[in-house]
Amino acid sequence: MMNRAIAIASLILLVATVGHADTIEDALQGQHRSAAHVARDGYRHPAETLAFFDVKPSSKVVEIWPGGGWYTEILAPYVREQGQLVAAHFPPQEKDGYFKRARDGFIKKLSSLPEVYGKVVVTSAYPPDHDKLTEPGTADTVLTFRNVHNWIKVGIDHMMFESFYEALKPGGVLGVVEHRANEGASLQYMKDSGYVTEAYVIALAEEAGFEWVASSEINANPLDSKDYEKGVWTLPPSYALKDKDRARFTEIGESDRMTLKFVKPK
């Protein structure tokens, strides 16, 4: 009987620990995180990145195109009690197979652990039909991780940044992490390779009305030569060339990334 009571108490403690995190570090240690995602921490520096973007437990955060939920695993428990996480994913009626699989997988992930993800609000982001990410002027923070190249490729990059501006409160922060091209790279190179220049991202944000606040080298990788056969997808975790030169690309690691912070003027 005592062992059973101890087991139940341990389970209750685990659920409480998983469901809510007082600090980003607590969220990173949560047992709800997948092993594959934890393995990427050394490349993506989530604690430093979210601190740079001023994400707080009380923040209303809009995460753009969260994919499989890498950052969602960290953000959801961190803002669960005092703030809110809005996941602006691919639109549900989009016919593209990848979009449907990714959104369906994300929804399944959220429903599998309601004690962690039960308060996450899922919306859609794909202008012009899906340009309302949340109630206008209510978000403290909008975050996008490695997405800008996709929007450039399909021609919605300007509209996406406009939707970020609309969602944020005056004084709210836009945080952008993106694969970084060498300055002077052509637009076609950006579309083909997945790498984008900092100047291009800054111009997008300023055109939408944002002010550039700061940049950080948190997610820089000087080993990344940015000249691969399959673009940025050659590197981990995609390994587009599969086993070809895999050891070499593993040693390089994930891409060189810009980390840019913008603010919506008050």
Side-chain angles (χ1 to χ4, degrees):
M1 182 68 71
M2 180 64 71
N3 288 341
R4 186 168 181 266
I6 292 172
I8 292 172
S10 297
L11 179 60
I12 292 171
L13 178 60
L14 172 61
V15 169
T17 302
V18 168
H20 168 62
D22 291 323
T23 66
I24 294 172
E25 288 74 16
D26 289 342
L28 291 172
Q29 297 301 317
Q31 296 185 38
H32 65 289
R33 298 189 67 208
S34 74
H37 287 180
V38 171
R40 308 254 65 82
D41 287 356
Y43 299 115
R44 298 182 177 179
H45 313 101
E48 297 90 341
T49 299
L50 294 177
F52 180 69
F53 292 146
D54 297 328
V55 179
K56 300 176 176 62
S58 59
S59 297
K60 178 178 179 178
V61 179
V62 181
E63 183 185 3
I64 309 299
W65 282 18
W70 197 93
Y71 259 101
T72 307
E73 288 182 354
I74 302 165
L75 290 164
Y78 184 54
V79 302
R80 177 182 171 88
E81 297 304 319
Q82 300 179 49
Q84 184 181 45
L85 177 60
V86 177
H89 216 296
F90 305 134
Q93 67 269 40
E94 184 66 38
K95 295 180 180 179
D96 181 283
Y98 172 76
F99 275 19
K100 183 176 184 346
R101 288 192 302 273
R103 184 181 173 109
D104 288 352
F106 184 77
I107 297 296
K108 184 177 180 180
K109 179 188 185 78
L110 299 191
S111 63
S112 70
L113 275 178
E115 63 271 23
V116 178
Y117 305 116
K119 295 184 180 181
V120 177
V121 175
V122 180
T123 63
S124 301
Y126 203 109
D129 295 333
H130 301 277
D131 58 354
K132 184 180 178 183
L133 312 177
T134 189
E135 294 79 9
T138 63
D140 297 292
T141 316
V142 170
L143 300 176
T144 173
F145 302 98
R146 306 173 310 281
N147 285 314
V148 179
H149 59 283
N150 296 309
W151 304 329
I152 295 172
K153 193 165 187 175
V154 296
I156 62 171
D157 46 332
H158 296 274
M159 291 185 287
M160 288 294 286
F161 276 74
E162 289 166 3
S163 70
F164 305 159
Y165 191 89
E166 182 179 4
L168 282 163
K169 298 175 180 177
V173 170
L174 168 63
V176 179
V177 177
E178 178 57 288
H179 312 296
R180 177 166 51 189
N182 295 329
E183 287 306 324
S186 69
L187 183 60
Q188 190 60 51
Y189 169 84
M190 291 188 245
K191 291 179 180 179
D192 293 342
S193 71
Y195 292 95
V196 182
T197 65
E198 286 193 13
Y200 190 92
V201 175
I202 291 170
L204 275 177
E206 290 181 342
E207 181 182 294
F210 289 101
E211 295 177 354
W212 177 42
V213 175
S215 62
S216 171
E217 293 300 296
I218 297 167
N219 296 298
N221 181 0
L223 298 178
D224 181 6
S225 61
K226 312 174 188 181
D227 58 355
Y228 316 112
E229 180 181 346
K230 296 289 186 178
V232 71
W233 304 280
T234 305
L235 297 177
S238 297
Y239 289 110
L241 297 179
K242 298 183 179 179
D243 290 334
K244 181 181 177 182
D245 294 328
R246 192 180 184 94
R248 173 193 164 208
F249 298 129
T250 299
E251 186 175 352
I252 291 171
E254 295 194 12
S255 66
D256 177 46
R257 291 164 187 163
M258 66 183 88
T259 304
L260 304 177
K261 179 178 176 182
F262 302 93
V263 67
K264 179 176 179 176
K266 294 183 178 179

